[in-house]
Amino acid sequence: MRLDLFLCRTSIVKRRAEAARLLRAGHVAVDGKPAKPAAEARVGQHLRVEEVRRVREYEVIAIPAGNVARKDAGEYARLVSERAREAT
């Protein structure tokens, strides 16, 4: 599954367009390397998502087959850490 779609379906990011924008801007890293929207999400990968006010890290647990209810999002991506983004 495409990474931008994975981020959207697992409720890490609210909209797919926002996920694609974050990816293109280099604010999402997969296993420490910047990723593109069309990169494949795979089980075991570690994702780092840098948003305006916070930085979150996730571990991919499973790849969903379709849409995912927000309450079930934890079955696909586990939040490893979350912190406030440092002011620049």
Side-chain angles (χ1 to χ4, degrees), residues 14 23 25 37 46 48 50-51 54 56 58 66 72 74-75:
K14 290 184 179 182
L23 284 155
H46 291 273
R48 178 183 169 101
E50 297 180 16
E51 294 179 293
R54 63 185 174 190
R56 296 178 292 167
Y58 293 89
D72 298 330
E75 296 176 17

Side-chain angles (χ1 to χ4, degrees), residues 13-23 51-52:
V13 178
K14 290 184 179 182
R15 292 178 304 279
R16 186 173 177 184
E18 178 68 12
R21 185 190 65 75
L22 287 171
L23 284 155
E51 294 179 293
V52 174

Side-chain angles (χ1 to χ4, degrees), residues 3 8 23-24 27 32-33 52 56-58 69 71 73 88:
L3 191 54
C8 181
L23 284 155
R24 282 192 304 272
H27 296 295
K33 298 176 185 172
V52 174
R56 296 178 292 167
E57 295 184 21
Y58 293 89
K71 65 179 179 147
T88 55

Side-chain angles (χ1 to χ4, degrees), residues 1 4 9 11-12 19 24 32 38 46 53 84 86-87:
M1 171 179 289
D4 59 347
R9 287 202 176 157
S11 300
I12 293 173
R24 282 192 304 272
H46 291 273
R53 294 194 172 119
E86 298 172 7

Side-chain angles (χ1 to χ4, degrees), residues 21-49:
R21 185 190 65 75
L22 287 171
L23 284 155
R24 282 192 304 272
H27 296 295
V28 177
V30 176
D31 295 330
K33 298 176 185 172
K36 295 185 178 184
E40 286 292 314
R42 294 188 178 91
V43 174
Q45 288 179 327
H46 291 273
L47 309 176
R48 178 183 169 101
V49 181

